[in-house]
Amino acid sequence: MRISQLGRAALGFACSALLATGLAVAVPGAQVALAQPPNPGEPLALPAGFALQDTGTGLGAWNLTDFGYLPDDSIIATGKTGAVQWIGPNGPKTLITLPVRINNDIGLTGLEIAPDYATSKQIYLARTINAPSGGGFISRISRWTVTGGAEPTGLANEQVLLDVPGTIELHSASGMVADNSGNLWVSVGDNADTDTWHVEAFRSQDVNSVYGKILRINAAGAGVADNPFYDAANPNSVKSKVFAKGFRNPFRLSLDKTSGLPVVGDVGWGTWEELNYVVPGGNYSWPCFEGNGPTPAYSTQPQCNGVTNNPPLWTYQHGMAPGQGNSVVAGFTYTGDSYPAQYKGQFFFGDYVSQRIWTLKYNAQGQLVQAPAANAPFGTGLGGPVEFAAAPNGDVVYADIASGNVRRVVYVTGNIPPVAKATSTTNPATRTVTFDGTKSMDFDGPATDLTYTWNFGDGTTGTGATVSHTYPASPAKFTATLTVKDKSNGTNSTTLTVAPSNHSPVLTLTTPAEGKKFRVGEQVNLTGTATDNEDGPLTIAWSTEIVHCAEETTCHVHPNITGSGGSFAMPFTDHTDSRIEFTAKVTDSQGVSTSKVYVARPNEFKLTLKSNFPASLVISGESNGNVAMVTEGATPNLIAGAKATDGVASFSKWDDGSTNLSRAFTMPAADTVVNVTYQTPIDSRYNSDAALRALLGNPVAAEVNDGGTRYRAYERGRLYSSPQTSAVAIYGTILTKYLALGGHQALGAPTNDETGTPDGVGRYNAFTGNWSIYYTPGTGAHSIGGPIRDKWGWMGWENGVLGYPLTDQVATPAGGGQFVDFTKNASIYWLPTTPGNGTAAVYSQIRSKWLAMGGATGVLGMPVTDELVGPNGGRYNNFSNYASIYWHYNSPGSGAWSIMSQIRDRWVFDGGAGGFLGYPVTDELTTPDGIGRYNHFANNGSIYWTPAYGAQSMCCQIKDKWASLGWEKGYLGYPTSSEYTPAGQPTWRRQNYQGGFITWKPGTGAVDHK
């Protein structure tokens, strides 16, 4: 939102929204405005036992946008203004400052460390630059190589993977995740303005537009071959790169470890923030829906026709009350073991504006199973979180743009103290001892975070990982102590004896070749010799420790076997994610020790579990995800979920043919992919039904999932399934009609195989949207649905009085209705104003009369009642233009005659078909002089209407007398009243006319009077 366009939101919220996605507000002269946190009043609070550990980035407040850990536990961080920092043991240093455009929420906003950084030295950056032509900008996703050795020195070799043009300085390409297959996931916002609805936002719904999407691209920037809209003929097309659509500002995302699917935080517009568990080809409904409701101003636009809401994993409302916020930042699922057990498997996420962090939990299908506690967030007053990542031990770490610090959430109560390890060497000539504590370890964090304090045993002290100290002339021996302390104030000490005038023993080890790695069970052979100037040969004492360091967990040590002598051997451990540390130690007669350590490392290869549908796949005991580095010869248990993530496809088999959900596996000496097959109901039906295969032929396309309705095309038809239906077949003329009408998006999914009708003439498919398509050789295929279909079914379907549909269900000429014609001279019309379910059936002679009078566009209008039963065996329909058609078997002609308007009113007043006039025997006709209108009726009656006198009824002898006098052309003219009984003469009847009246008396009959 631009600050100049705040018609629908408060300025404070606007600033919050700006900062939420990158972060700082641009001001003239390209200066970064230093804003205050939007919720400064809520104090910092974390659960008992937790604390924050801050690492400065050197980027300053309101500049830090992203960060990532390198394999050595150092950090790379990015600043909105273009700086890329490395934070090592000696603090931050700048690797490069890139040119960027930094207005509003654009700039250098994204960083991702390549999973193979240890060998490739590659990172990814997301930044915005001015467009070459001027006026706009480009959101650029690039891969860079980090130069230097153990200490990075700069960036080089930019390779551009994606350029996204932009015009509005909001919602650009910002989020990135690199997966273990070498692909890069990229989130791209809608790049639409935010003050009111903008047509550009609808680009989020178009798979041929990059905006409002989650993309998955390969190392060359092209689409990945199993992306849901991939076009093999054009892998660089936008749709080939699209994994899912319908997002507004999917600022941050992470990948679920077991399914490999993204979990995305989509920053909201007017009311709701969203977390979405994203499946291939999913439509997350922006701008037609926000949260779980239609979006004001957008949802009523024609571009939203047919767009249904895909419910988010979680939503929360805009505001600052408990459980609310204004800018969601997606985090990740905690899998470490340094926090209390209840946090394992919890998804951590935050809100930049409200400065809160919450947790939730979802299942293998991406369905919420534990909602965030609105009134008890995990943390409050946490600054401005704009990125989350896991520390090497799994701790939750976030970038706080408000302070410019990387902040680590540590569980101090559960902190594992560091392990102090020290060795020494002596120069007897100078009584100088050199101490080395660099082998000390901190299982909760990098050793570079440790502080080292030495007590030399002679009353003096020193600090540092390595120190030298010259001892006084006496005594002969001293006891030195090393104490190490971690960031959570955990400490550990070790002592060693030093004899300054004594030579340290000399220990020589013979180890396997440099770089040698071991498979499970492979023998590790070590030999050694030890001598001492004063004591001669010494015996070596051997000890071993298995150091277990699973991914995103705290390392721990298992003491193992020991021995003594000139050689030592043991098989390499089968403990997962482990190395063996062999320590050879000798001690002379003065108690002075020398030790050396050999580390035997596993010969690991990448094991990847893949499935034809996204599913929860676990390498048990390794990463507990679907990708892990596994030691050659290891035997992890592989576990597949019973259902795929979509909740539809079911486990079928592993690629070795086994059909159990779990299987044993022995890791070979090569990177390996193990495939798992899931079958949808469509696959299962097709593979198990030989007759169906013969009917439909071979598949011609992959199965498609469109909003929960799945289908697959075959040579001669399709199979469909949905959450409401099993797999059913549709083919031939009915399929052609179905697709022409919009398929499942218009009619719903088929609910039955194409089926023959009971009379053996027709065939049909029914659909979940209360539609059917019926086919006969004589009529072809026609659609019928909704209330019209309900009425037809109530009237006996094709075996009833209406017959088969003869037309598709189409719009009425007026009134916003629909109708279907049928083979037995029948129709059903639906109008929103018709009582009941809105439908009316018209058929047989009544319909013929109605059609002869112009049908729906004629004088009668459209039917508004079914054909109903009248008195004495008659039938009738009412029509929308204040008219009716009545039929009676004794009526002349076809027996069907129309009656309308005021004549109909008078007739009804006189008792209608059951009154003294009886059924109409003419339509409403015009008098010869063109002034009046009239109907004649079966019981020798008529009703005449004129503009001056309205509708007047007459009957019997009075009518006969008037007729004998020349009807309205006679001297009496038109009737000015209906028949009535004169006052005081209960046996008389009289009718008034323009020129007089006619009186009927029992004795004289009808007599006219001037």
Side-chain angles (χ1 to χ4, degrees):
M1 182 181 292
R2 291 198 289 264
I3 291 179
S4 61
Q5 297 173 318
L6 296 176
R8 61 182 304 276
L11 178 59
F13 172 74
C15 292
S16 300
L18 286 170
L19 292 166
T21 50
L23 307 152
V25 183
V27 295
Q31 299 297 310
V32 178
L34 300 183
Q36 292 301 310
N39 189 24
E42 198 165 41
L44 173 64
L46 288 167
F50 284 89
L52 293 178
Q53 290 181 353
D54 287 353
T55 299
T57 63
L59 291 166
W62 307 109
N63 194 13
L64 171 65
T65 56
D66 208 341
F67 74 100
Y69 281 94
L70 298 183
D72 64 358
D73 295 350
S74 63
I75 293 173
I76 290 181
T78 55
K80 178 180 176 177
T81 52
V84 181
Q85 304 280 96
W86 177 67
I87 299 96
N90 299 316
K93 77 171 186 179
T94 301
L95 299 181
I96 196 171
T97 299
L98 297 169
V100 293
R101 178 163 167 166
I102 60 170
N103 296 334
N104 292 335
D105 72 357
I106 62 174
L108 176 54
T109 57
L111 163 74
E112 177 70 359
I113 309 297
D116 63 351
Y117 178 90
T119 55
S120 71
K121 296 297 182 72
Q122 291 178 337
I123 65 172
Y124 301 89
L125 296 176
R127 63 185 172 120
T128 50
I129 59 175
N130 287 321
S133 57
F137 64 90
I138 291 172
S139 290
R140 173 163 289 176
I141 306 296
S142 299
R143 184 171 56 244
W144 296 77
T145 300
V146 178
T147 59
E151 178 173 329
T153 57
L155 300 183
N157 304 324
E158 180 184 17
Q159 294 177 282
V160 177
L161 302 180
L162 180 70
D163 274 349
V164 179
T167 54
I168 305 297
E169 292 166 334
L170 301 164
H171 309 172
S172 57
S174 55
M176 296 180 294
V177 177
D179 65 27
N180 288 294
S181 297
N183 302 317
L184 185 69
W185 300 74
V186 181
S187 63
V188 184
D190 66 0
N191 195 232
D193 212 340
T194 60
D195 58 334
T196 184
W197 86 271
H198 282 263
V199 69
E200 291 89 348
F202 291 107
R203 297 180 299 190
S204 297
Q205 289 294 314
D206 181 3
V207 296
N208 294 302
S209 171
V210 73
Y211 303 99
K213 305 298 189 302
I214 301 299
L215 310 178
R216 183 171 57 157
I217 58 177
N218 62 23
V224 178
D226 61 352
N227 279 348
F229 307 103
Y230 183 77
D231 180 359
N234 191 4
N236 285 299
S237 64
V238 169
K239 73 175 184 178
S240 288
K241 302 174 186 181
V242 172
F243 188 81
K245 66 179 182 176
F247 298 93
R248 178 179 180 265
N249 185 16
F251 179 55
R252 294 297 189 224
L253 72 161
S254 64
L255 298 183
D256 180 78
K257 286 187 67 174
T258 62
S259 69
L261 293 175
V263 182
V264 177
D266 197 10
V267 179
W269 184 47
T271 309
W272 297 100
E273 300 294 299
E274 295 184 7
L275 282 173
N276 291 289
Y277 187 91
V278 177
V279 299
N283 182 359
Y284 295 85
S285 311
W286 174 259
C288 303
F289 291 84
E290 182 181 80
N292 286 305
T295 311
Y298 281 107
S299 62
T300 56
Q301 301 301 318
Q303 295 94 324
C304 287
N305 292 342
V307 178
T308 57
N309 191 36
N310 193 343
L313 171 63
W314 179 249
T315 66
Y316 61 93
Q317 197 166 8
H318 287 171
M320 301 306 293
Q324 296 181 347
N326 292 297
S327 186
V328 65
V329 181
F332 63 93
T333 298
Y334 175 76
T335 58
D337 55 17
S338 56
Y339 291 178
Q342 69 261 32
Y343 293 105
K344 196 147 192 171
Q346 296 277 351
F347 183 85
F348 281 73
F349 68 100
D351 188 279
Y352 158 79
V353 177
S354 67
Q355 301 188 71
R356 295 168 180 145
I357 292 177
W358 295 275
T359 67
L360 58 77
K361 200 166 189 177
Y362 57 83
N363 62 17
Q365 278 68 53
Q367 299 164 333
L368 185 73
V369 294
Q370 180 181 318
N375 295 317
F378 177 83
T380 63
L382 296 168
V386 292
E387 170 68 305
F388 286 87
N393 77 330
D395 284 356
V396 174
V397 188
Y398 66 93
D400 173 17
I401 189 175
S403 67
N405 292 329
V406 172
R407 312 192 81 177
R408 181 168 177 167
V409 182
V410 297
Y411 185 58
V412 179
T413 304
N415 180 56
I416 299 176
V419 177
K421 293 188 175 184
T423 61
S424 66
T425 57
T426 303
N427 183 348
T430 62
R431 293 181 63 82
T432 299
V433 179
T434 299
F435 296 93
D436 186 347
T438 57
K439 299 298 183 183
S440 300
M441 295 182 292
D442 182 12
F443 293 136
D444 290 316
T448 53
D449 287 344
L450 296 175
T451 59
Y452 301 80
T453 301
W454 299 88
N455 184 331
F456 298 123
D458 62 354
T460 62
T461 60
T463 59
T466 58
V467 294
S468 293
H469 179 65
T470 300
Y471 280 89
S474 64
K477 292 194 292 186
F478 299 86
T479 299
T481 302
L482 168 65
T483 299
V484 293
K485 183 169 68 173
D486 62 22
K487 278 194 169 184
S488 297
N489 295 319
T491 62
N492 183 249
S493 299
T494 187
T495 61
L496 63 168
T497 300
V498 293
S501 297
N502 181 66
H503 290 85
S504 297
V506 176
L507 174 61
T508 302
L509 284 185
T510 301
T511 64
E514 185 175 353
K516 166 67 176 175
K517 295 181 179 180
F518 297 87
R519 65 180 181 273
V520 170
E522 184 178 359
Q523 200 77 355
V524 183
N525 296 301
L526 302 174
T527 60
T529 59
T531 61
D532 183 76
N533 274 6
E534 290 79 16
D535 296 338
L538 299 176
T539 299
I540 300 173
W542 302 88
S543 63
T544 59
E545 290 179 330
I546 297 174
V547 183
H548 178 60
C549 290
E551 181 183 353
E552 292 185 7
T553 61
T554 301
C555 295
H556 57 276
V557 170
H558 302 276
N560 209 255
I561 62 176
T562 60
S564 63
S567 63
F568 186 81
M570 67 174 287
F572 193 78
T573 180
D574 61 358
H575 209 72
T576 60
D577 297 307
S578 298
R579 62 184 184 266
I580 306 178
E581 294 189 356
F582 295 82
T583 300
K585 183 177 181 179
V586 293
T587 305
D588 66 12
S589 59
Q590 297 297 311
V592 177
S593 297
T594 296
S595 62
K596 289 190 175 182
V597 176
Y598 171 73
V599 180
R601 299 188 180 276
N603 192 32
E604 292 183 318
F605 296 92
K606 184 165 71 174
L607 175 59
T608 303
L609 306 186
K610 284 190 174 182
S611 55
N612 56 330
F613 289 93
S616 175
L617 306 174
V618 174
I619 306 170
S620 181
E622 294 285 346
S623 68
N624 289 319
N626 62 356
V627 179
M629 298 301 294
V630 180
T631 305
E632 178 190 355
T635 55
N637 195 33
L638 310 184
I639 303 172
K643 287 280 190 181
T645 301
D646 61 9
V648 176
S650 299
F651 172 81
S652 176
K653 62 182 179 180
W654 297 88
D655 55 10
D656 67 348
S658 60
T659 57
N660 294 322
L661 290 175
S662 63
R663 60 165 287 196
F665 180 78
T666 301
M667 189 66 195
D671 290 345
T672 301
V673 175
V674 174
N675 289 292
V676 187
T677 299
Y678 284 79
Q679 281 195 344
T680 65
I682 289 175
D683 294 332
S684 181
R685 170 105 193 265
Y686 182 80
N687 292 335
S688 64
D689 190 334
L692 182 72
R693 293 196 299 273
L695 173 69
L696 297 180
N698 294 320
V700 295
E703 186 170 317
V704 175
N705 179 11
D706 186 4
T709 296
R710 310 181 75 97
Y711 64 88
R712 191 170 193 184
Y714 301 85
E715 291 173 309
R716 293 181 290 279
R718 285 187 176 189
L719 284 172
Y720 278 79
S721 72
S722 75
Q724 298 81 34
T725 64
S726 58
V728 297
I730 180 171
Y731 46 88
T733 305
I734 292 180
L735 175 60
T736 301
K737 172 64 72 172
Y738 179 58
L739 297 179
L741 293 172
H744 63 277
Q745 292 182 337
L747 307 186
T751 62
N752 64 297
D753 289 338
E754 183 177 305
T755 304
T757 55
D759 62 6
V761 174
R763 300 188 67 78
Y764 71 96
N765 281 90
F767 305 93
T768 56
N770 194 22
W771 283 86
S772 296
I773 295 177
Y774 274 72
Y775 164 84
T776 71
T779 63
H782 295 294
S783 62
I784 182 169
I788 293 179
R789 178 179 181 270
D790 294 340
K791 174 59 67 71
W792 182 52
W794 179 77
M795 296 182 72
W797 304 102
E798 71 280 354
N799 289 324
V801 296
L802 306 181
Y804 284 94
L806 188 60
T807 66
D808 289 333
Q809 185 162 312
V810 294
T812 55
Q818 294 183 323
F819 73 94
V820 176
D821 291 338
F822 296 87
T823 54
K824 293 182 180 179
N825 189 20
S827 299
I828 297 177
Y829 275 69
W830 173 87
L831 290 171
T833 55
T834 298
N837 76 342
T839 60
V842 57
Y843 48 92
S844 194
Q845 289 96 331
I846 291 179
R847 180 174 183 269
S848 296
K849 167 62 72 171
W850 174 61
L851 293 176
M853 297 183 71
T857 59
V859 65
L860 303 181
M862 289 172 278
V864 294
T865 67
D866 290 335
E867 184 175 300
L868 303 174
V869 177
N872 306 314
R875 311 280 294 179
Y876 71 95
N877 280 81
N878 294 330
F879 296 85
S880 59
N881 289 348
Y882 216 55
S884 300
I885 296 176
Y886 276 74
W887 172 90
H888 193 269
Y889 58 86
N890 282 332
S891 295
S894 69
W897 301 99
S898 65
I899 182 169
M900 298 182 288
S901 194
Q902 294 183 43
I903 292 179
R904 188 182 76 159
D905 288 346
R906 180 70 215 188
W907 178 61
V908 171
F909 178 80
D910 289 336
F916 69 89
L917 296 175
Y919 282 87
V921 294
T922 68
D923 294 327
E924 184 177 301
L925 303 173
T926 303
T927 57
D929 63 7
I931 296 174
R933 306 280 293 174
Y934 67 94
N935 278 80
H936 294 322
F937 297 89
N939 295 340
N940 192 23
S942 299
I943 298 176
Y944 274 72
W945 171 90
T946 62
Y949 304 109
Q952 307 298 338
S953 60
M954 64 184 68
C955 186
C956 306
Q957 292 184 40
I958 289 179
K959 175 191 168 187
D960 292 343
K961 170 57 84 170
W962 181 59
S964 70
L965 295 172
W967 303 97
E968 73 280 358
K969 293 181 180 181
Y971 81 91
L972 290 176
Y974 283 98
T976 61
S977 76
S978 295
E979 281 190 26
Y980 65 94
T981 300
Q985 301 295 333
T987 62
W988 296 13
R989 299 289 290 167
R990 178 175 291 169
Q991 185 161 22
N992 299 329
Y993 295 86
Q994 290 173 308
F997 58 91
I998 296 175
T999 301
W1000 177 87
K1001 301 175 185 179
T1004 62
V1007 178
D1008 60 299
H1009 303 273
K1010 288 188 178 180

